[in-house]
Amino acid sequence: MMPLPSTPTDFTLAEARDAVRARKISSVELTNACVKAMQAARTLNAFVTETPDQALTMAHEADRRIAAGSTRPLEGLPLAIKDLFCTKAVRTTAGSNILSSFIPPYESTVTQNLWDAGAVMLGKTNMDEFAMGSSNETSHFKPVISPWRAHNSNQGLVPGGSSGGSAAAVAANLCLGAMGTDTGGSIRQPAALTGIVGLKPTYGRCSRWGIVAFASSLDQAGPMTRTVRDAAILLKVMASVDPKDSTSVDVPVPDYEERLESGVKGLRVGIPKEYRIDGARPEIDALWDRGAEWLKAQGAELVDVSLPHTKYALPAYYIVAPAEASSNLARYDGVRYGHRAARPEDITDLYERSRAEGFGAEVRRRILIGTYVLSAGYYDAYYARAQKLRTLIARDFINAFEHCDVLLTPATPGPAFAIGEKTADPVAMYLNDVFTVTVNLAGLPGLVVPAGVTGNGLPLGLQIIGKAFDEATVMRAGRAIEVAADFRAKPETWWEAA
Amino acid sequence: MSVDQDTVRRIARLARIALDEERVGPMMHELNGILAWAEQLAEVDVTDVPPMTSVVEQQLKMREDGVTEGGNADALMANAPEAEDHFFVVPKVVE
């Protein structure tokens, strides 16, 4: 066994769990170390709301439980929660002005599962407004700044999005793990850009209840961690069948951690040729080739497969997701909760101004696109056609999985980019999700693992895609990549306040 | 297909989002940029392809049609921007 790091915030979740159980460190000590790191890193703007008092109360309770011998699976482990998960009595903003003072009277099912397992809440993390963005720049609470910088550069980089605050908090060792959500790549793209592990589970694996809705047929919660093992530990607790979410699926949740080290000997790994695209950086393809060699060297069999409708996934997504968003976000009316415009002339004026003042530019744009593609006369040309493409994309995967067990693909077309670099062109920003969005459209699990760095020191990831509800095999393959890549790069701690 | 300024005003009205007149033109260009890019979906032959209605194959769950929760008026009203005696206050809608 590896010796424990000297700083508690550098522990992996698994190391911290074992150390707390063995009483080598108390939850209060661990939590204090994370709170201190979080407060010293405000320059990163990773948290919208810090909850140090609640964290310490939970940590004391955890230490009491450990002393009493009634330790739960995540006892005393501090986590950061994306501000899309409703947390009872703790402000939940979805990164939006319209919810900037919303205090949920209930707890999301996923976070309730974490607290029931003994986890400690450090705070709520920054994100793109309503999870609509790939850089965290659409947040009402200002962008998150990535802990990573290119060699010899002070330029601020994006952490990716929409779960950018969670990604930055994990990458900068402010917490032991974090919750994200993924509608088109919002866990996996920021994970790739910040050199951490991000898992989008199968649609239906985790309950969506209490997560502020963006696109209901695509949204899924997942863990963001520093190791594949940590993701396995968190998913086991997050996953549940929930009477409050009729799309949560009643299938057994295996012990992912137990199966992690089984290796990839004999595993058939599909390499989809359509993921070699114009516009991806050459180092992306090189890393992908290296990843395939790593798996082959460990006994996996590489299989060339084809997913012919891949190029249509992104445009289909940017019809389907805004359509669902325009419907979901109709609830923000300035009447029942959320921002309300002052001195409305009449009810229509109240709606129109509350929403115009409450939503940011990207959210307004997507609601208008969604409204248009669902409107009379355009529904068949756009929305119905996009849903048919979705069927074809899902069939592509079914056909590919007749020849392989998992797929290996790049995670993103490039490394982290500068703040402000892509905000002027919505379509250029959307292209960030080109490798991740297919998985959401087909409802499949996808895992991103850090696998290398660019010439100037920025992290890059690889993605494993699996069959529905086969996260165990996905994580086993991801673990093999992790072992071979031996990714140890960490950002310099330039952000720490004196 | 592309949208004109009248269409932008109409969908903003449908979406109940106030749009300043000087924003109509720029918004039209932004929406047309996205729609032009989505135009490539028209290349694909989708004859006889059913639209996806459910990502994961499963039977729709049924439950007893009964009251499962209630009596939470205080909690429900707690975030209301304007409320009176468990009622949401809105501008006058009936003449």
Side-chain angles (χ1 to χ4, degrees), chain B residues 59-87:
Chain B
Q59 286 283 312
L60 200 58
K61 292 174 194 171
M62 306 295 270
R63 64 166 170 80
E64 193 88 1
D65 184 13
V67 177
T68 54
E69 240 186 295
N72 301 331
D74 286 342
L76 280 169
M77 303 305 293
N79 280 287
E82 214 179 318
E84 230 179 273
D85 300 332
H86 288 168
F87 288 98

Side-chain angles (χ1 to χ4, degrees), chain A residues 48-49 83 91-103 140-141 338-339 358, chain B residues 79:
Chain A
V48 172
T49 305
D83 211 15
R91 184 176 76 142
T92 299
T93 68
S96 181
N97 184 35
I98 211 159
L99 287 175
S100 56
S101 55
F102 178 64
I103 298 176
H140 173 66
F141 301 92
H339 173 76
Chain B
N79 280 287

Side-chain angles (χ1 to χ4, degrees), chain A residues 219-478:
Chain A
D219 298 344
Q220 183 64 201
M224 302 176 79
T225 55
R226 291 195 280 272
T227 68
V228 178
R229 177 174 299 272
D230 292 355
I233 293 168
L234 287 180
L235 181 62
K236 171 80 181 156
V237 171
M238 294 167 67
S240 66
V241 197
D242 183 4
K244 291 176 183 153
D245 175 5
S246 64
T247 63
S248 65
V249 177
D250 194 0
V251 288
V253 181
D255 187 334
Y256 302 110
E257 198 184 358
E258 199 171 72
R259 298 164 181 223
L260 206 55
E261 307 284 354
S262 319
V264 291
K265 201 167 172 11
L267 192 75
R268 296 170 307 162
V269 178
I271 309 291
K273 63 171 188 242
E274 290 79 7
Y275 281 60
R276 210 167 286 274
I277 58 163
D278 300 337
R281 298 255 296 247
E283 46 209 330
I284 298 289
D285 284 346
L287 182 70
W288 188 19
D289 293 340
R290 211 175 312 143
E293 287 307 315
W294 287 334
L295 292 175
K296 194 177 166 192
Q298 293 179 61
E301 180 195 336
L302 302 181
V303 186
D304 287 323
V305 295
S306 174
L307 301 166
H309 296 93
T310 298
K311 70 174 275 206
Y312 302 107
L314 208 48
Y317 173 85
Y318 277 97
I319 300 297
V320 172
E324 294 188 16
S326 74
S327 169
N328 269 327
L329 273 59
R331 71 189 69 182
Y332 302 101
D333 56 7
V335 173
R336 293 161 299 162
Y337 45 80
H339 173 76
R340 179 189 185 97
R343 292 177 299 282
E345 283 169 23
D346 54 31
I347 189 75
T348 304
D349 183 51
L350 171 69
Y351 294 151
E352 291 188 345
R353 281 200 296 120
S354 296
R355 290 163 63 77
E357 292 165 10
F359 295 136
E362 180 65 22
V363 173
R364 291 198 299 266
R365 187 154 54 220
R366 293 208 201 179
I367 291 175
L368 293 189
I369 283 279
T371 305
Y372 179 66
V373 301
L374 290 176
S375 66
Y378 301 98
Y379 181 92
D380 286 333
Y382 289 109
Y383 185 73
R385 177 169 281 270
Q387 288 288 53
K388 288 175 185 176
L389 255 305
R390 214 174 154 183
T391 299
L392 293 173
I393 288 159
R395 281 183 190 167
D396 282 354
F397 279 108
I398 290 168
N399 294 336
F401 283 131
E402 282 179 12
H403 309 286
C404 62
D405 306 303
V406 294
L407 298 163
L408 175 72
T409 78
T412 55
F417 44 94
I419 290 171
E421 188 180 323
K422 297 191 185 200
T423 40
D425 180 357
V427 174
M429 185 69 86
Y430 297 170
L431 290 173
N432 260 287
D433 298 328
V434 66
F435 297 131
T436 48
V437 77
T438 51
V439 166
N440 301 80
L441 291 171
L444 302 174
L447 171 72
V448 161
V449 179
V453 290
T454 59
N456 60 356
L458 296 177
L460 295 170
L462 286 171
Q463 177 175 233
I464 302 281
I465 300 171
K467 298 173 187 171
F469 298 104
D470 195 14
E471 287 88 352
T473 306
V474 168
M475 284 193 265
R476 183 153 61 86

Side-chain angles (χ1 to χ4, degrees), chain A residues 23-73:
Chain A
R23 302 215 214 166
K24 288 180 186 158
I25 188 169
S26 70
S27 173
V28 168
E29 287 171 281
L30 198 54
T31 301
N32 272 326
C34 287
V35 167
K36 209 173 138 213
M38 169 175 76
Q39 291 174 340
R42 287 187 181 139
T43 307
L44 301 179
N45 201 26
F47 287 83
V48 172
T49 305
E50 297 173 355
T51 57
D53 296 341
Q54 183 162 342
L56 278 171
T57 306
M58 293 168 103
H60 278 291
E61 168 63 12
D63 284 337
R64 195 193 61 75
R65 286 245 187 188
I66 292 160
S70 55
T71 309
R72 298 165 292 178

